[in-house]
Amino acid sequence: MLASRSWVVIALFLIITVAQKMMEPMYNGYFFAFCTLSLMVAWKCRYSRFIKAPELNVDFFAIFLVLTFSVFLAIKMHQDARDIFRDIGAIFAFIIGRYAIPLWVGRGNVKLLLQTLSDIGVAISVITIMFAFIAYLDGADAYHWRGAYVPLSHGWLPYFLIVNIALLRQTPQHTSHYGYRIFLCVGGTIAALSRTDVLIDLFIGLVLLLTIGRYLFSNVRIMRKLFLISIIVVVFMPKIVELDVVQQRLTSNAEDADPSLGWRYIENQALFDYFDEGGALPVIVGYGLGARIPLPDGVLDFDGNDTIPLLHNSYLTIVLKFGLLGLCFFALYIVRKIRVWMALRKTPHAIYAWTGSWIMLIVLAKGIILQGLTEWSHVLFFGLACMLLSFDTYKKESNK
């Protein structure tokens, strides 16, 4: 029986999932869910003193400085209010993942949080597979399969895959329970026709094979499950690969049916041209929240605009908004989290730190080509990863 705290978090993610399909812009649904949870957390913690946690003060102070400077710069550059709101929302999403969700579930109750995320993963996997099956019945091509049928939340499945692997490692007696959930996450990723996420899943599997392969092969129960999965893969994978939509995803390129790679080149070149026109100062500090990049003459985005607020490469987006200085500060923050992971590796919380490090790695990887560090829901997972890679997360748990 799920705790009421878990149901609230599940509802948060399902609202976001629905918003992706039914709201325009979808960030209205995100914002509603985030604000509702924030108010509930504020009411729950109205008498607590959690704000005095040292790390909380450091992170909030850094966020406050970034927001203050960026809003000032945005106003000076006369940026559009809607674009400023979108960029502030990404920072808000980080705060939700880093503080609001853990505080709602219960500070120090990390296992309950991971179990809740595992349950959400089941729901998202089922939803993804269901819509993919509808797309198959309707004869949709690869473009409409992913754009009109499969929800964007399928991109969360690698995070849930990591969560389920962590829970399986923590409770090997529940091999079947979490093993099926792992299989469901992988199946949902394949059904979504996401080339990037399939590669991420393969990379995760390869690393696990190299790092804990000896443990896997020595566990009879796990080996039975792996053998069963292998049979399923051998029987069904050739038939899946032969599907027209799969062939379209495998053979498409920038010059053929998939314009995405060509578009990435155009937006990257537009950014470099924009900085060439602006001089040295914007390269250092950026153009502030809400900044947009002018596209080359005669080029419009998919909505008919001649400017774009975000690039597919999130690191270049950070440079656009905050300059090379902002990118350096972000890199220092990542290094700080890596140091926390190193420190937690030999503690009872090692499996949680392992989970956080993998989720962070996936978000950073998605940030290269899939807006992983600017799309609100992925930034939320980045916040969850940072929570798992923070010493203050485990203070209360250590005192139990």
Side-chain angles (χ1 to χ4, degrees):
M1 187 70 178
L2 287 175
S4 58
R5 291 173 293 177
S6 297
W7 282 116
V8 171
V9 178
I10 292 173
L12 169 75
F13 282 92
L14 291 181
I15 290 173
I16 295 174
T17 300
V18 171
Q20 294 172 343
K21 297 292 291 183
M22 301 182 64
M23 293 188 180
E24 180 60 39
M26 64 183 181
Y27 289 131
N28 288 340
Y30 285 47
F31 190 69
F32 169 78
F34 290 171
C35 287
T36 301
L37 180 63
S38 298
L39 292 173
M40 294 174 69
V41 170
W43 178 257
K44 175 186 176 183
C45 301
R46 62 192 184 280
Y47 299 122
S48 69
R49 298 178 180 272
F50 69 91
I51 285 289
K52 293 186 177 181
E55 187 165 351
L56 193 67
N57 286 337
V58 171
D59 286 358
F60 260 94
F61 182 67
I63 292 171
F64 176 77
L65 286 179
V66 169
L67 278 177
T68 302
F69 176 76
S70 298
V71 170
F72 170 78
L73 190 60
I75 294 174
K76 185 178 179 180
M77 299 295 294
H78 305 290
Q79 309 292 8
D80 187 83
R82 178 174 176 176
D83 292 319
I84 297 175
F85 167 78
R86 181 195 298 108
D87 293 345
I88 291 178
I91 300 175
F92 188 22
F94 172 82
I95 295 174
I96 293 296
R98 172 63 181 86
Y99 301 111
I101 292 177
L103 285 170
W104 177 256
V105 173
R107 188 174 167 213
N109 201 345
V110 183
K111 186 174 181 179
L112 176 61
L113 176 57
L114 294 188
Q115 290 172 337
T116 302
L117 292 175
S118 175
D119 293 330
I120 298 169
V122 172
I124 299 301
S125 298
V126 171
I127 291 172
T128 300
I129 294 172
M130 179 182 68
F131 277 100
F133 184 67
I134 295 174
Y136 172 74
L137 294 178
D138 289 349
D141 59 19
Y143 181 82
H144 291 94
W145 184 298
R146 291 177 48 74
Y149 288 88
V150 175
L152 294 176
S153 53
H154 76 266
W156 307 341
L157 292 178
Y159 309 132
F160 298 131
L161 173 63
I162 289 296
V163 168
N164 284 306
I165 293 173
L167 290 170
L168 185 147
R169 292 180 62 186
Q170 188 181 43
T171 55
Q173 66 273 22
H174 295 150
T175 300
S176 297
H177 181 74
Y178 293 114
Y180 291 137
R181 293 184 175 212
I182 290 171
F183 182 73
L184 202 56
C185 288
V186 175
T189 298
I190 295 173
L193 300 182
S194 174
R195 294 173 295 191
T196 301
D197 288 344
V198 168
L199 290 175
I200 289 174
D201 287 358
L202 290 173
F203 177 72
I204 293 171
L206 178 61
V207 173
L208 289 177
L209 189 63
L210 294 174
T211 55
I212 62 172
R214 186 174 181 180
Y215 164 75
L216 294 176
F217 293 129
S218 64
N219 189 308
V220 178
R221 296 179 64 185
I222 293 179
M223 282 302 299
R224 280 202 296 262
K225 304 300 179 186
L226 290 176
F227 180 71
L228 177 61
I229 292 173
S230 300
I231 294 177
I232 295 174
V233 170
V234 170
V235 172
F236 289 99
M237 188 56 66
K239 297 181 180 180
I240 294 175
V241 172
E242 290 175 359
L243 293 175
D244 291 339
V245 288
V246 176
Q247 289 297 316
Q248 291 171 22
R249 294 293 289 169
L250 291 176
T251 59
S252 61
N253 52 56
E255 290 75 34
D256 189 24
D258 185 1
S260 59
L261 296 179
W263 177 255
R264 283 166 172 77
Y265 172 80
I266 291 174
E267 62 185 21
N268 291 348
Q269 188 60 49
L271 174 67
F272 299 142
D273 293 340
Y274 192 35
F275 278 128
D276 283 341
E277 297 174 1
L281 185 61
V283 176
I284 297 173
V285 299
Y287 286 98
L289 295 173
R292 299 181 71 97
I293 306 171
L295 293 170
D297 293 339
V299 177
L300 302 176
D301 69 2
F302 298 109
D303 294 322
N305 300 311
D306 58 359
T307 61
I308 54 174
L310 305 169
L311 295 90
H312 281 81
N313 188 321
S314 295
Y315 302 99
L316 293 181
T317 300
I318 291 174
V319 175
L320 169 67
K321 313 288 183 176
F322 307 111
L324 292 175
L325 188 62
L327 185 63
C328 288
F329 276 113
F330 178 75
L332 289 174
Y333 185 75
I334 297 300
V335 170
R336 179 169 172 245
K337 291 303 175 184
I338 293 174
R339 293 177 64 184
V340 174
W341 170 66
M342 297 292 290
L344 291 172
R345 287 175 63 189
K346 297 182 180 181
T347 70
H349 314 298
I351 191 62
Y352 301 138
W354 179 88
T355 306
S357 63
W358 266 104
I359 292 177
M360 176 174 288
L361 178 63
I362 294 171
V363 175
L364 294 176
K366 285 176 176 285
I368 299 175
I369 56 174
L370 294 175
Q371 299 183 348
L373 290 167
T374 50
E375 201 282 317
W376 289 14
S377 64
H378 291 288
V379 179
L380 185 151
F381 279 99
F382 181 72
L384 286 170
C386 292
M387 178 274 299
L388 293 170
L389 293 171
S390 299
F391 291 119
D392 64 308
T393 299
Y394 308 105
K395 287 179 180 178
K396 185 174 181 179
E397 189 173 84
S398 299
N399 295 329
K400 288 182 180 180

